[in-house]
Amino acid sequence: QVQLVESGGGSVQSGGSLRLSCAASGYTPGSYSVAWFRQTPEKERAGVAVINRYSETSYADSVKGRFTISRDNLKNTVYLEMNGLKPEDTAMYYCAASRYIIERIGPQMGEYFDYWGQGTQVTVSS
């Protein structure tokens, strides 16, 4: 059974950094696409970054140049390094895993993801 557990969220000031971790189990490390999504009460869930089995990555325009997704197959963990955080980055962040090879962030991308973590809150104050 695939399980995903996020950690690393917290509260930071604008311009600060956080690193989120998504510890996975139940599938061969590196064999799934793993993405980070975020959601607020005011906005629909949106993809932030994705890494596939070929280590190809894709980012939402709003985070390009600030966020970096990476993977450690030995630990079966996917990371989201977030730098230059802005108040608009405040959200609940979820990691998700998919058996599909996801090449780019896009609308309705969440439909391709079968497994989800419970989320970790990121709050950025101005």
Side-chain angles (χ1 to χ4, degrees):
Q1 182 178 357
V2 175
Q3 291 187 324
L4 304 171
V5 179
E6 302 98 332
S7 61
S11 297
V12 296
Q13 291 190 329
S14 182
S17 299
L18 284 172
R19 188 177 78 158
L20 306 183
S21 298
C22 173
S25 61
Y27 66 86
T28 302
S31 63
Y32 278 33
S33 295
V34 177
W36 288 94
F37 293 80
R38 65 187 181 187
Q39 187 172 20
T40 69
E42 297 79 25
K43 294 183 180 180
E44 292 184 354
R45 183 183 64 194
V48 174
V50 63
I51 185 166
N52 64 26
R53 69 171 66 180
Y54 303 118
S55 296
E56 297 169 330
T57 59
S58 177
Y59 299 90
D61 288 342
S62 59
V63 306
K64 281 181 181 176
R66 299 188 298 124
F67 290 12
T68 302
I69 190 169
S70 62
R71 183 175 62 208
D72 184 336
N73 287 342
L74 291 178
K75 297 181 179 179
N76 205 3
T77 299
V78 173
Y79 303 98
L80 185 67
E81 187 76 34
M82 305 186 296
N83 298 312
L85 283 163
K86 305 175 181 180
E88 51 263 44
D89 295 317
T90 295
M92 183 70 79
Y93 283 71
Y94 300 90
C95 70
S98 170
R99 289 166 289 183
Y100 294 99
I101 300 172
I102 308 297
E103 296 180 338
R104 62 181 60 87
I105 295 288
Q108 287 82 49
M109 187 178 75
E111 297 177 2
Y112 294 94
F113 286 78
D114 305 303
Y115 308 101
W116 294 81
Q118 293 192 334
T120 186
Q121 178 68 36
V122 171
T123 302
V124 185
S125 57
S126 57

